[in-house]
């Protein structure tokens, strides 16, 4: 109790000195003005957007987090305030000689340091209290305000203030010059922000320096993630600098040998390194996601998959120095790469990450231009030299092939995920702006390791059908097996096989694709197809104008028929046979993926499409998925040359202006399984050319149809559903006029009141 009483008295004295000085109040007033300006700006922008009709999303996060949020802005200049505040905490004691009085009193060095630091903690709490006003205002004016997210951010800022204060206190113990103490504090803070990039090429040094870095620690809290590692980091850093402060005062008071003092400094630092190492181990980490939608955590489906991954799991990253994606996981980037799997490691700490570096032949046009006359080895040596890497760390083509054959992946950057029980799969990077796989691609790859069956798609061949492996506008490689394309089905959990009707369709085929027969199916062949249908196999059948005679014998079993002729619609900018099919409301019953078509008013482009007719007397429930427009659209039976001829509606030959189905979904019960069939009136709508093309005046979303159709046909197995709840904080209960008033109050009234309080206290003290 005596110790606590002494610490309290020192803290009280320090606070009195602090709040009777102009510097402390000046910091508070400037801090309040800057935070008010930031808060009012962000809040005002949101209100303005709402006023002009734009919808809002995640309002709480936008106000306090992100790039421009209040808490993120506070971090940008917080490091400037604390050195000014702490520079005189001990320096003035040294410069005035009062430290001798402290040394001669019954006060210990621990009492002095802890008392001074407690005063800094109280001041830090005042700064956080200023921020609380904005949080309370947000809670009163934002619908479903995410208070836990805001609290997490405040906790991170407070811990950061305390860490800065402990560093400033130590630097103040080193010198009697206040400006030197302030500059020293800034220097230490700069080192702690910079040190995370030091020694990243050396494994042990990389772990130590990366953990020591203070950069980004508070951002995790602001983003709503409270991690035990970050909390321990702040506590340990605070204790380290407080301990060093005590050691420094003891050295001054007792005049100990320099070697003994240095030994204590080093000893405390080594303790911190050990604590930091163990607290950063995956098995020792604990997390709390403070966000409403748990955006920092794996979705429930992904969590379920990880729970099923019993035993060890190894992710081996193969980096080809000659590949354009070599930079992703070089030794200096390993810590950043490990963070990409942080969400998975939380639920499975025993995941092991390995890295293998090699060079081998790969498609890289940029490298061909830069080193046109060099061999692959010479190119690799030049790159290693330029990157300041040891060429010996890269395996030769012969050495890497002894370990693994990556030719099927084109020797591109790839990861091999392998279970202890032997199951393995590849995880790729993609040729888009994101490059790296998202939760959808990672989780579906892991699902393939634990699921007893994953959907396997069979593409019918032998009759001129569309090819799933070949490029070219007509074929289906883009959506099916294009490995560098993120959304191709091979990257979303599907396997593939070409299927011939010369023999029985394999039992593991769960979805059969029949795309535009160009020659008839024989009676012998159709028996194998009938057997597949009878056992409840799912199908995707795509027709095309001019192929009705080959396609109708296949679909008549389902009560469906491809109409003669070709659908047309009146277009100003396109050929008449260019159909912009619209989704029906019923399409959303099939899969959530289709919801975006209706919500965003999207169409599906079908260049050359046959209409579909159907009956429901074959035992199938039929759901129209896509239809042509009601007005200006009919089934053209006469014109075939849509470039040179003009199409005209001719009711005399049976042409009727109305809406025609262009895609149907059929389902029925077969035993304990629900059989699902999709029939498209156009095979081009999912072809390489059509899913890749952009037309300025057409809001098309053909790939949504592909993803939705295969999600439905695979019974929801793939692609994986990683949807999160929609954040409810989507409205600000303020008008533009009210916000303008609040802006004036925050920017001028709030700091003005604090300034008047400071003047009152100063005058009152002066009067005494």
């Amino acid at each position: 109790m005596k110790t606590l009483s002494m610490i309290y008295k020192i803290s009280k004295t320090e606070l009195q000195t602090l709040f009777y000085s102009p510097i402390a109040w000046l910091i508070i007033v400037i801090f309040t003005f800057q935070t008010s300006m930031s808060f009012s700006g962000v809040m005002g922008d949101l209100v303005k957007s709402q006023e002009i009709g734009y919808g809002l999303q995640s309002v709480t996060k936008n106000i306090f987090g992100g790039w421009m949020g209040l808490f993120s802005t506070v971090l940008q200049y917080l490091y400037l305030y604390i050195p000014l505040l702490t520079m005189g905490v001990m320096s003035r004691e040294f410069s005035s000689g009062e430290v001798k009085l402290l040394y001669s009193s019954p006060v210990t060095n621990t009492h002095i340091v802890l008392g001074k630091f407690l005063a800094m903690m109280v001041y830090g709490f005042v700064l956080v209290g200023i921020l609380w006003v904005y949080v309370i205002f947000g809670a009163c004016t934002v619908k479903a305000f995410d208070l836990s997210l805001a609290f997490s951010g405040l906790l991170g800022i407070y811990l950061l203030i305390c860490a800065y204060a402990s560093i400033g206190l130590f630097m103040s113990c080193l010198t009697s010059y206040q400006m030197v103490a302030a500059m020293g504090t800034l220097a230490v803070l700069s080192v702690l922000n910079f040190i995370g990039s030091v020694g990243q090429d050396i494994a042990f040094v990389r772990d130590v320096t990366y953990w020591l870095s203070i950069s980004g620690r508070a951002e995790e809290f602001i983003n709503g993630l409270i991690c035990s590692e970050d909390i321990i980091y702040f506590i340990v850093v605070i204790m380290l600098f407080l301990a060093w402060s005590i050691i420094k005062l003891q050295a001054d008071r007792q005049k100990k040998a320099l070697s003994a003092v240095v030994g204590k400094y080093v000893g405390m630092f080594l303790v911190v390194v050990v604590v930091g190492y163990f607290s950063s181990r995956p098995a020792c980490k604990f997390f709390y996601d403070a966000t409403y939608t748990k955006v920092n955590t794996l979705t429930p489906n992904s969590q379920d998959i990880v729970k099923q991954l019993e035993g060890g799991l190894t992710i081996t990253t193969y980096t080809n120095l000659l590949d354009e994606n070599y930079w992703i996981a070089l030794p200096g980037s390993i810590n950043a790469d490990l963070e990409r799997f942080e969400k998975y490691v939380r639920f499975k700490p025993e995941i092991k990450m390995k890295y293998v570096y090699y060079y081998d032949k790969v498609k890289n046009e940029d490298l061909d231009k830069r080193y046109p006359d060099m061999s692959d080895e010479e190119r690799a040596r030049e790159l290693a030299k330029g990157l300041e890497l040891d060429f010996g760390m890269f395996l030769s083509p012969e050495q890497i092939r002894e370990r693994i054959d990556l030719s099927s992946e084109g020797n591109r950057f790839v990861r091999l995920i392998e279970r202890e029980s032997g199951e393995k799969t590849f995880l790729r990077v993609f040729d888009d702006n994101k490059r790296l796989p998202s939760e959808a691609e990672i989780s579906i790859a892991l699902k393939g390791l634990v699921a007893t069956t994953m959907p396997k798609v069979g593409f019918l061949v032998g009759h001129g059908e569309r090819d799933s492996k070949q490029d070219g506008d007509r074929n289906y490689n883009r959506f099916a097996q294009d490995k560098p394309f993120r959304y191709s089905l091979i990257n979303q959990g599907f396997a593939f096989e070409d299927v011939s009707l010369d023999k029985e369709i394999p039992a593991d085929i769960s979805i059969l694709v029949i795309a535009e027969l160009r020659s008839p199916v024989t009676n012998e062949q159709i028996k194998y197809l009938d057997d597949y249908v009878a056992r409840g196999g799912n199908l995707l059948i795509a027709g095309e104008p001019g192929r009705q005679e080959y396609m109708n014998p296949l679909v008549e079993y389902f009560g469906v028929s491809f109409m003669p002729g070709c659908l047309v619609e009146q277009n100003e900018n396109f050929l008449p046979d260019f159909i912009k099919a619209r989704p029906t409301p019923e399409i959303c019953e099939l899969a959530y993926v289709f919801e975006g078509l209706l919500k965003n008013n999207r169409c599906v482009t079908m260049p050359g499409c046959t209409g579909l007719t159907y009956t429901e007397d074959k035992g199938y429930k039929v759901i129209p998925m896509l239809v042509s427009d009601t007005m200006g659209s009919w089934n053209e039976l006469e014109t075939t040359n849509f470039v040179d001829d003009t199409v005209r509606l001719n009711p005399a030959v049976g042409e009727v202006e109305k809406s025609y189905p262009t895609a149907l979904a059929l389902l029925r019960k077969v035993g304990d399984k629900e059989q699902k069939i999709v029939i498209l009136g156009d095979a081009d709508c999912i072809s390489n050319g059509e899913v890749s093309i952009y037309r300025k005046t057409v809001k098309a979303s053909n790939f949504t149809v592909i993803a939705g159709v295969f999600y439905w046909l695979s019974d929801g197995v793939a692609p994986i559903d990683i949807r999160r709840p929609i954040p409810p904080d989507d409205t600000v209960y303020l008008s533009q006029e009210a916000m303008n008033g609040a802006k004036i109050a925050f920017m001028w009234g709030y700091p003005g009141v604090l300034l008047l309080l400071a003047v009152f206290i100063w005058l009152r003290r002066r009067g005494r």
Side-chain angles (χ1 to χ4, degrees), residues 208-230:
V208 173
T209 58
Y210 196 76
W211 186 86
L212 285 174
S213 175
I214 201 170
S215 177
R217 298 284 183 178
E219 280 90 337
E220 293 283 6
F221 290 88
I222 291 173
N223 292 328
L225 182 65
I226 301 176
C227 175
S228 61
E229 180 188 8
D230 294 325

Side-chain angles (χ1 to χ4, degrees), residues 383-395:
L383 288 171
K385 181 181 178 181
L387 295 168
E388 298 182 344
L389 297 172
D390 178 15
F391 182 71
M393 65 182 283
F394 295 95
L395 303 178

Side-chain angles (χ1 to χ4, degrees), residues 714-756:
S714 68
D715 300 319
V717 174
I720 190 171
D721 182 3
I722 57 168
R723 288 177 296 168
R724 299 179 186 275
I726 298 175
D729 51 340
D730 57 3
T731 304
V732 179
Y733 299 128
L734 286 174
S735 64
Q736 188 68 55
E737 293 76 14
M739 187 61 229
N740 290 336
K743 187 174 183 178
I744 294 172
F746 277 118
M747 290 187 61
W748 304 108
Y750 194 12
V753 169
L754 294 176
L755 180 60
L756 291 175

Side-chain angles (χ1 to χ4, degrees), residues 187-205:
V188 173
L189 296 181
S190 298
V191 169
L192 287 178
N193 276 281
F194 171 74
I195 198 172
S197 60
V198 175
Q200 293 301 292
D201 294 335
I202 307 171
F204 175 74
V205 176

Side-chain angles (χ1 to χ4, degrees), residues 455 494 510-511 538 676 707-719:
F494 293 85
S510 54
I511 303 171
N538 296 339
K676 300 174 180 179
V709 162
F710 280 92
Y711 180 83
W712 185 62
L713 292 177
S714 68
D715 300 319
V717 174

